[in-house]
Amino acid sequence: MRKKRAVVPGSFDPVTYGHLDIIERAQAIFDEVVVAVIENRAKNQLFDLSERAEMLRDEVGRWPTVSVDTFSGLLVEYMKKERAQIIVRGLRVMSDFEYELQLALINHELAPEVETFFLAASGRYSFLSSRVVKEIASYGGPVAEFVPPKVEARLKKKYLLERG
Ligand code: PNS
């Protein structure tokens, strides 16, 4: 039987416990999971591509079938290159739905062999996003509940440097 290879794409700026929850559940379903960090050109990232990938690698080591990679350009092109047919995305609140459905439909239109698989975010992470984590950290607020200790330390360092 062909192995089921799934890709969990995202900005991961930075990775949160919400992302890790989705990755953990994906690796329990699929044979292989590639966490693909996008080199967003349009978006303003707090962490550069290598930092974002490094933070993920620090966390996913506990799951032997999960690897971390980076990509730029269209996701479906990356999927073809990687010979992967499943995109895994987490859905948190209703406001995610419209954007995620559009993304899934466009990707399927561009590459009919590619399917998007949605996982409902666990209740305790349904409010969590990298954006709110960065906002809290930027004011010196507590983020230990939302991100792993190494990510928390990097956030502190970034914002301390920014404040000068
Ligand atoms: O973590 P994010 O920022 O919500 O992830 C969004 C991501 C990376 C999955 C999405 O922006 C994406 O796939 N970008 C690559 C460009 C692409 O293929 N877009 C879809 C067709 S318009």
Side-chain angles (χ1 to χ4, degrees):
M1 202 181 79
R2 218 155 43 107
K3 287 202 168 181
K4 286 268 176 258
R5 189 150 206 240
V7 169
V8 184
S11 307
F12 304 103
D13 186 41
V15 59
T16 67
Y17 283 137
H19 294 127
L20 292 172
D21 172 55
I22 295 293
I23 296 166
E24 177 171 25
R25 288 159 61 201
Q27 62 86 40
I29 299 169
F30 300 105
D31 298 307
E32 252 182 86
V33 171
V34 182
V35 183
V37 189
I38 188 165
E39 183 192 353
N40 318 43
R41 274 165 301 158
K43 270 191 180 180
N44 261 342
Q45 304 295 317
L46 178 64
F47 294 99
D48 68 29
L49 183 64
S50 59
E51 288 177 296
R52 286 181 277 137
E54 222 173 273
M55 284 185 274
L56 272 160
R57 284 196 185 101
D58 282 341
E59 304 305 322
V60 305
R62 69 189 100 155
W63 301 303
T65 53
V66 179
S67 60
V68 176
D69 194 10
T70 60
F71 78 105
S72 58
L74 284 180
L75 178 58
V76 289
E77 293 303 326
Y78 176 78
M79 300 294 293
K80 282 180 195 162
K81 184 173 81 72
E82 285 300 302
R83 296 179 184 282
Q85 288 177 355
I86 302 144
I87 298 169
V88 177
R89 296 284 287 172
L91 280 179
R92 291 163 303 184
V93 283
M94 269 313 280
S95 51
D96 278 349
F97 188 77
E98 205 175 324
Y99 169 68
E100 291 296 337
L101 185 64
Q102 190 183 22
L103 207 62
L105 293 173
I106 291 175
N107 285 332
H108 193 67
E109 187 67 29
L110 292 173
E113 71 281 9
V114 170
E115 296 288 356
T116 300
F117 190 95
F118 291 114
L119 281 169
S122 299
R124 64 188 186 283
Y125 300 129
S126 60
F127 59 89
L128 187 54
S129 71
S130 299
R131 191 182 58 77
V132 299
V133 166
K134 284 184 283 191
E135 181 148 348
I136 297 168
S138 73
Y139 291 111
V143 292
E145 241 182 280
F146 311 131
V147 295
K150 283 184 176 173
V151 176
E152 184 192 9
R154 284 195 197 231
L155 279 164
K156 273 195 183 141
K157 202 169 150 195
K158 269 275 183 226
Y159 285 115
L160 275 177
L161 283 176
E162 241 176 45
R163 281 195 219 111

